[in-house]
Amino acid sequence: MASATPLIRTSGSSFLGPDGEPLLLRGVCLGGWLNMENFITGYAANESLMRAEVAKVLGAERAEAFFERLLTRFFDEADAAFLAESGFNLVRIAVGYKHLEDDARPFEIKPDGFRHLDRVIELLAAHGIYSIVDLHALPGSQNQHWHSDNPTHVAAFWQHRHFQDRVVNIWEAVAEHYRGNGWVAGYNLLNEPSDETGAVVGPFYERLVAAIRAVDPDHVLFLDGNTYATDFSMFDEPFPNAVWTLHDYVPAGLGRSPHYSTEEAEAKFLERSEHARSLSSPILVGEFGPIYGGDEEHDAWLRGILRDQLDLYNRHAASWTLWMYKDIGRQGLVSVKKDTPYRQRFDAFVAKKERLAVDQWGSDGIGLAEVTQPVQDLVAAEFPDFDPYPWGRFDWVRTLLLNITLAQPMAHEYASLFRGLSDDDLDALADSFAFEHCEVRAPLLAELQRAQAAADPHAALEREDA
């Protein structure tokens, strides 16, 4: 792809735009698109299993046609125009590796694997918006949960050189493809890596950065900290023109704690951004944001948490991308309307998932307490010292019990809801995700725009000078 404009780069604590002036990057994550997630579009379990189950019902050819249309309608011209009109200048695009390479043909980059990514990067560029290419799901899974398309609870990526070699090959292809493209702000190398030993992630980053730089010496590299972009303790020297990125979810905003204080939220942000600040590097908060429940009084309280975070980011001249842009109503800036064919067909299924706490994101992790609590109590009583990585016993039990054992048969149930549908019906389901069939979460947009209006792109330079 030809360069549209000079490249963004880093200079001390700032990003510099093509004109050489300080630039704050503010935008959204495009999740649930080239890397589908269960709570975003409503299915259960992980993407590969869901797609396989749908193909069993529809047949491979019709299933592929459905997903192709869904990807096309999920983000199109109207979406890019809305983001530009709303004042955003960045979209972080989550990509699953299977769009670029198949497990059955490792190291072979698909000839048409960039078609959707190219289309959206070009749409955004036409509206003056930069893109970050975010490799969100890797061969073998780089973390223990569904969003790396992990069907288990094991991050096998860190255990097998084969998987690591494939990722180096994928990134070399991406770097070759987008080398010189000024509308690509940079490459987010691994979303939320979770190396239990902490011994592999650092050397692998060194290897991967060297491989990319041999192909593309110029784009900014974004490197998530270990343990889901929260831990930077195993990293040392900085890479040139690179940024250590953090994710900054507040437990109360996710429904995981009844307690919230601005002081605790600030302390956690300062802890997670300390590595970048100690290196006088730009700060990028790659993901943040509450999960909304639909009760306006409580949602207003959640937006208060978001407001505190945005004000904190402004004080530290941090760039950010909100998680996330579009979904079926839990967290997105834009959500599919309830009267669409997709919501009418799948809302009852989603309600069952919520009742059983099958989705990890946005559930209490309990579901049917008469089933789950005895298991939690048994593990706690029999193995009192068991504290598994990354998030401890409770998360470990609920992952295996709810997010795998119950979720996988629910993937079969989700697919069964496609049975008997005509091609027109399938088109209508996919078209439900088009911008014209969505509604904007207006209070959330207002908060984001308020923060953007208050931001000073020169603040990072001033922080560096101080």
Side-chain angles (χ1 to χ4, degrees), residues 287-350:
E287 294 183 17
F288 70 103
I291 298 174
Y292 302 97
D295 176 81
E296 177 51 32
E297 182 177 355
H298 186 64
D299 285 355
W301 179 76
L302 292 170
R303 289 194 300 274
I305 295 176
L306 179 79
R307 185 180 310 118
D308 289 344
Q309 291 183 283
L310 292 169
D311 290 344
L312 182 62
Y313 303 158
N314 275 350
R315 291 201 297 276
H316 290 271
S319 293
W320 47 256
T321 45
L322 175 82
W323 188 264
M324 65 194 159
Y325 173 56
K326 183 183 286 188
D327 68 355
I328 57 171
R330 297 305 305 277
Q331 196 172 18
L333 175 60
V334 169
S335 297
V336 177
K337 291 179 181 178
K338 291 183 178 180
D339 63 356
T340 56
Y342 191 92
R343 291 287 304 272
Q344 291 190 346
R345 175 158 289 269
F346 291 105
D347 270 5
F349 174 83
V350 172

Side-chain angles (χ1 to χ4, degrees), residues 141-203:
S141 299
Q142 77 280 10
N143 60 47
Q144 291 80 11
H145 291 101
W146 78 98
H147 45 86
S148 60
D149 197 19
N150 194 338
T152 73
H153 66 296
V154 177
F157 174 80
W158 306 107
Q159 302 171 8
H160 297 278
R161 174 79 179 212
H162 167 80
F163 294 139
Q164 297 163 26
D165 291 347
R166 287 166 62 183
V167 167
V168 171
N169 183 66
I170 288 169
W171 268 118
E172 287 173 335
V174 173
E176 176 66 32
H177 190 76
Y178 292 114
R179 182 177 57 192
N181 188 324
W183 286 109
V184 174
Y187 310 137
N188 196 168
L189 305 189
L190 312 177
N191 176 69
E192 296 190 343
S194 191
D195 169 18
E196 182 172 1
T197 70
V200 183
V201 61

Side-chain angles (χ1 to χ4, degrees), residues 84-383:
E85 291 163 4
S86 300
F88 300 110
N89 63 3
L90 179 66
V91 173
R92 175 175 174 261
I93 305 173
V95 181
Y97 78 94
K98 288 184 178 179
H99 286 280
L100 302 174
E101 183 212 69
D102 281 326
D103 289 327
R105 303 181 72 88
F107 301 102
E108 294 184 21
I109 301 300
K110 296 181 180 180
D112 63 347
F114 288 97
R115 67 189 185 283
H116 284 295
L117 192 55
D118 284 349
R119 176 179 64 84
V120 166
I121 288 174
E122 290 167 4
L123 279 174
L124 292 168
H127 289 275
I129 299 174
Y130 298 101
S131 300
I132 291 176
V133 180
D134 156 38
L135 193 58
H136 215 81
L138 279 60
S141 299
Q142 77 280 10
N143 60 47
Q144 291 80 11
H145 291 101
W146 78 98
H147 45 86
S148 60
D149 197 19
N150 194 338
T152 73
H153 66 296
V154 177
F157 174 80
W158 306 107
Q159 302 171 8
H160 297 278
R161 174 79 179 212
H162 167 80
F163 294 139
Q164 297 163 26
D165 291 347
R166 287 166 62 183
V167 167
V168 171
N169 183 66
I170 288 169
W171 268 118
E172 287 173 335
V174 173
E176 176 66 32
H177 190 76
Y178 292 114
R179 182 177 57 192
N181 188 324
W183 286 109
V184 174
Y187 310 137
N188 196 168
L189 305 189
L190 312 177
N191 176 69
E192 296 190 343
S194 191
D195 169 18
E196 182 172 1
T197 70
V200 183
V201 61
F204 180 71
Y205 266 147
E206 292 177 4
R207 179 188 175 203
L208 185 56
V209 168
I212 292 172
R213 286 299 188 223
V215 178
D216 180 351
D218 299 320
H219 270 107
V220 177
L221 304 182
F222 297 91
L223 292 84
D224 284 13
N226 196 35
T227 314
Y228 296 67
T230 66
D231 179 11
F232 301 84
S233 61
M234 65 287 301
F235 305 124
D236 190 8
E237 294 301 316
F239 298 105
N241 202 34
V243 177
W244 292 101
T245 61
L246 65 117
H247 292 180
D248 192 34
Y249 292 108
V250 174
L254 305 182
R256 296 177 182 174
S257 171
H259 306 295
Y260 169 73
S261 73
T262 56
E263 294 78 15
E264 289 179 4
E266 181 171 12
K268 188 59 68 175
F269 167 76
L270 292 176
E271 175 189 324
R272 293 173 178 176
S273 64
E274 195 278 333
H275 187 68
R277 290 183 292 110
S278 71
L279 299 171
S280 296
S281 165
I283 298 171
L284 176 72
V285 182
E287 294 183 17
F288 70 103
I291 298 174
Y292 302 97
D295 176 81
E296 177 51 32
E297 182 177 355
H298 186 64
D299 285 355
W301 179 76
L302 292 170
R303 289 194 300 274
I305 295 176
L306 179 79
R307 185 180 310 118
D308 289 344
Q309 291 183 283
L310 292 169
D311 290 344
L312 182 62
Y313 303 158
N314 275 350
R315 291 201 297 276
H316 290 271
S319 293
W320 47 256
T321 45
L322 175 82
W323 188 264
M324 65 194 159
Y325 173 56
K326 183 183 286 188
D327 68 355
I328 57 171
R330 297 305 305 277
Q331 196 172 18
L333 175 60
V334 169
S335 297
V336 177
K337 291 179 181 178
K338 291 183 178 180
D339 63 356
T340 56
Y342 191 92
R343 291 287 304 272
Q344 291 190 346
R345 175 158 289 269
F346 291 105
D347 270 5
F349 174 83
V350 172
K352 180 176 180 179
K353 284 203 304 170
E354 292 176 358
R355 176 172 60 86
L356 297 176
V358 162
D359 285 349
Q360 194 157 39
W361 198 244
S363 80
D364 60 9
I366 298 172
L368 300 179
E370 62 271 27
V371 174
T372 63
Q373 195 58 52
V375 179
Q376 290 281 6
D377 292 343
L378 177 64
V379 175
E382 296 289 347
F383 310 102

Side-chain angles (χ1 to χ4, degrees), residues 35-37 43-56 67 96-98 103 137-138 141 146 148-151 411:
N35 187 73
M36 292 185 179
E37 296 194 37
Y43 67 87
N46 62 303
E47 179 180 358
S48 291
L49 175 62
M50 176 273 292
R51 281 177 172 261
E53 291 292 333
V54 172
K56 290 177 184 177
F67 287 116
Y97 78 94
K98 288 184 178 179
D103 289 327
L138 279 60
S141 299
W146 78 98
S148 60
D149 197 19
N150 194 338

